[in-house]
Amino acid sequence: MKDRLLDEPFASGLVDGRVRVLVGVEQDVMSACRQARQLAETLRFSRTAAYHIATAASELAANLLIHAGGGLLQASALLNPTLDGETLGLELLAEDQGPGIADLALALTEGYSTGHGLGCGLPGVKRLMDEFGIESRPGVGTRIRAVKWL
Amino acid sequence: MTTLLQQLLREHRAELLADWLKSLHAPWEHPTPQDGTHHEPNQRLHALFEDILTALERPPSDRFELDALDPLAKHLRQLVADQARRGAGSSETIGLMLSLKRLISKRLIEQSPSDSSGDLLWLEQVFEQLTLLAFAAFLDIREHLITQQSLSLLELSTPVLRLWHRILLLPLVGVIDTGRARQITESLLEAIARHEARVTILDLTGVPVLDTSVAQHLMKTIDAARLLGTRVVMTGISPEGAQTLTKLGIRFADVISRATLRAGIAEALLMVGQRITSIEDGRP
C-alpha cells in the first residue's frame, strides 16, 4: 500500500475486468482462487458458476506451481464487441515455461497423476468449465485456456 | 597525515551533532514514555553519532568494511529494531543517516571545494555500507515479526473444541494450505488422544473453496483421525461446494456428511448413544 512502485509492473488484482496472478508460492494459489471468484461475482455469474470458476482457477494455479515451478494465471472477462461490451463469459488462461506435458491424453485421464495429487485436477477443470483447450510443447511450456459462458 | 575530513570532524563535532539532531523529526525530541528501555532515543542517536564519526575518522582506504560485531553495527541494528517495532518505514532510519551525510558533505565542500573529492568518496563509501547494513537489519526484523504473526494466526485459527463427552468439534474457517493442514491434523490428533474422542465433527462452513488440494488435505486428516478410533462427521459443505466436488470427481467414500452443523451434532450424539430432547419429554 505504501510502495505503489513495487507492484505496478506486475499489477495484480482487478484491472479492467482482468486479473493477473504470478504464481510462485502456495499463497499465490489462494490469491488466484480468491481473485477469480471476485471477478466472476463482479461479472454476475451465479453462485455455483462462480464457485466452479474459483475452483478451476485454484486447480490451474496449483498445477502451475507443482508441475512447472510457477507461471502466470489470468482471468479475464470476454466481452461482446458489437453489443456495447456486454459480458459473454470468463476466460482462464494458465501459462508456464515448465517442462511441458509429453502425453496430453494421459494427463487428461481420470486418476492419472505424476505428482502426489488425486489425479482429478485437469479432467476436473474440463468438467467445471464449458470450454477447455490445452497446448503443450515438451521443454517449452504449457498453455491452458478454459472458458465459462455466462 | 590528517585529511580534511578528519580535521573537520574534530573541529566541528558539537555543531554537527546539534545540526543533525535539529534536522531530525519530532519523534526523537519526545521520547516515548511507554518505551520501557533505559536508553532514551536521543542517547541512542548520540551513541550512533559517535560511532559513525569514529568510522569516518579511520584512515581512508579503497574499501570500507564493517565487522558485524562492531559497536557501530550493533547500535545501528538496535536503532533499526526500535523503529521497525514502532512500525516506521525503512526510509526513516536510512533517511536519518543520509541527513548526517548531507550535513558533513556540505561542510566539506564549503571548506574546500577543490580538494574534497577524495574525502567525499570515502564518506560515500562509509554511508553506502551503513545504508546496506540498516536495510538488511530492517528486513530481518520485519521478516521475524511476520513469521511470528503468522504462527500465532495459525494457532488462533485451528481450535479443537470439546463439544460433549467424547465428541470433538473442529470448525474450519478460511483457506487451508499445506502449513495449516499440518497444524489442523496435529492439534486434532492430539485432542482426540487426550479426550478419547469417539466422534469428531469437521465443520467446513467457513472454508471458501473446496478444491482437490483441500480435499486431499481433509482426506489425510480424516484417515489419521480414524486410526485413533474416532469417526468423522463432515458438516457445512455448501450446495455449490458439493456440486463442485462431484464435478471434480472427488469422493469422500464412507465419510458421514451432513448439510448443517445442527444435523451433524445430532448425528454425533446418536453415535455415542445420546440425544437432545426437550425437558418435558425427558420427565418420567
Side-chain angles (χ1 to χ4, degrees), chain A residues 26 47 51 58-59 116 127, chain B residues 178 211-212 216 240 247:
Chain A
E26 204 180 354
R47 272 175 64 98
Y51 201 107
S58 161
E59 298 293 342
H116 305 286
R127 276 193 300 267
Chain B
T178 314
D211 58 7
T212 55
Q216 202 178 2
E240 302 91 62
K247 283 220 179 192

Side-chain angles (χ1 to χ4, degrees), chain B residues 24-40:
Chain B
L24 303 175
H25 302 304
W28 301 103
E29 288 155 23
H30 312 287
T32 41
Q34 71 269 33
D35 200 340
T37 48
H38 300 299
H39 291 282
E40 283 184 8

Side-chain angles (χ1 to χ4, degrees), chain A residues 67-68 96-104 135-142:
Chain A
H67 300 294
D96 67 64
Q97 271 108 49
I101 302 170
D103 188 343
L104 282 179
E135 289 165 35
S136 185
R137 284 173 61 196
V140 181
T142 305

Side-chain angles (χ1 to χ4, degrees), chain A residues 63 66-67 111-120, chain B residues 212-213 216-217 219-220:
Chain A
N63 276 348
I66 298 166
H67 300 294
Y112 172 79
S113 173
T114 50
H116 305 286
L118 297 171
C120 44
Chain B
T212 55
S213 80
Q216 202 178 2
H217 288 316
M219 284 177 185
K220 282 182 183 163

